[in-house]
């Protein structure tokens, strides 16, 4: 019998004590007794962090197949100035409230938002807004969307997926800087 040590780093378990010539069998299950001293109460306020403040404009890149004129009418007034132009239409979504994220769940909390230039419809969440946009302007078979990978924000005249912001807020990972070839030339061409 081997003695294993488990350490929780806040995201995953680090396991030590497995002999070098061995590995744990896949799908192994065993019970470990944990003393009460390793547990602490969850502070609900500490579990939530600000991702983007109220008024931030986020962008959903779309290749429209329906009502293209209406989409372009919404996109044009808030078209971001970028180092490299987007090949897709960028639907601006304005946050009506702060967009927050749970540190343990890594999930977005619901926050109301709307499409720029269209105050007639308010959405209960960023996911709801993105799904509605997919239904309205694309022929995508499903409106399911991964907002962390598909919705973007502008940082240093570059579009980044909001997953990069999540990494910054939750893990302290700095946002990527533009490469040298992106810095050379006219910043606002295209």
């Amino acid at each position: 019998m081997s003695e294993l040590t488990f350490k929780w780093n806040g995201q995953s378990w680090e396991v030590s004590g497995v002999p070098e010539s061995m590995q744990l069998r896949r799908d192994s299950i065993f019970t470990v007794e944990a003393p009460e001293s390793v547990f602490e109460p969850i502070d609900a306020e500490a579990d939530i962090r600000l991702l983007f403040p109220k008024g931030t404009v986020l962008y959903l890149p779309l290749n429209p197949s329906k009502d293209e004129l209406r989409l372009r009418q919404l996109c044009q007034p808030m078209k971001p100035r970028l180092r490299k132009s987007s090949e897709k239409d960028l639907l601006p979504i304005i946050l009506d409230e702060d967009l927050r994220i749970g540190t343990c769940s890594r999930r977005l909390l619901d926050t109301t938002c709307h499409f720029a230039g269209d105050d007639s419809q308010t959405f209960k969440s960023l996911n709801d807004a993105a799904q509605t946009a997919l239904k309205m302007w694309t022929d995508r078979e499903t409106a399911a969307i991964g907002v962390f990978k598909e919705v973007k924000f502008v940082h240093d005249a570059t579009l980044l997926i909001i997953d990069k912001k999540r990494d910054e807020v939750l893990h302290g990972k700095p946002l990527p800087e533009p490469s040298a070839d992106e810095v050379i030339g006219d910043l606002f061409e295209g």
Side-chain angles (χ1 to χ4, degrees):
M1 184 187 247
S2 293
E3 184 174 299
L4 303 176
T5 303
F6 298 90
K7 180 182 176 189
W8 178 248
N9 66 18
Q11 295 296 317
S12 61
W13 289 100
E14 296 172 3
V15 181
S16 59
V18 178
E20 286 185 35
S21 61
M22 305 286 252
Q23 67 180 14
L24 288 174
R25 285 188 186 157
R26 183 183 177 103
D27 299 326
S28 295
I29 297 174
F30 52 94
T31 303
V32 178
E33 191 172 313
E36 289 290 324
S37 63
V38 301
F39 296 98
E40 60 185 26
I42 295 175
D43 180 357
E45 291 299 314
D47 186 38
I48 298 171
R49 295 202 185 148
L50 177 68
L51 199 61
F52 295 103
K54 173 184 177 177
T56 299
V57 180
L58 301 175
Y59 294 92
L60 177 62
L62 294 170
N63 280 327
S65 57
K66 301 185 270 189
D67 203 3
E68 294 175 38
L69 180 60
R70 176 67 180 137
L71 176 61
R72 294 206 171 96
Q73 288 172 339
L74 295 175
C75 295
Q76 194 58 39
M78 296 200 76
K79 187 175 180 179
R81 294 186 162 264
L82 302 170
R83 295 178 192 280
K84 184 179 177 184
S85 63
S86 174
E87 295 175 9
K88 298 182 177 185
D89 289 307
L90 299 174
L91 175 65
I93 301 171
I94 300 176
L95 300 177
D96 298 328
E97 303 171 314
D98 291 345
L99 181 57
R100 299 182 178 279
I101 186 167
T103 57
C104 293
S105 68
R106 297 174 44 94
R107 293 180 183 261
L108 295 176
L109 277 60
D110 285 350
T111 185
T112 58
C113 55
H114 67 277
F115 301 143
D118 184 3
D119 296 330
S120 65
Q121 190 172 14
T122 299
F123 303 98
K124 65 180 179 176
S125 67
L126 182 59
N127 193 64
D128 186 33
Q131 287 181 340
T132 300
L134 290 176
K135 290 175 191 171
M136 289 175 69
W137 289 295
T138 72
D139 286 330
R140 214 157 121 169
E141 285 187 32
T142 175
I145 185 168
V147 293
F148 285 107
K149 301 288 185 194
E150 295 186 60
V151 176
K152 300 184 178 195
F153 69 102
V154 177
H155 169 70
D156 199 14
T158 305
L159 277 177
L160 298 176
I161 57 175
I162 63 173
D163 196 40
K164 299 289 185 189
K165 186 69 171 178
R166 176 171 61 176
D167 285 345
E168 178 191 46
V169 169
L170 297 183
H171 308 297
K173 188 176 178 182
L175 293 173
E177 295 301 322
S179 63
D181 60 330
E182 290 177 317
V183 175
I184 297 171
D186 182 6
L187 173 62
F188 300 115
E189 66 183 349

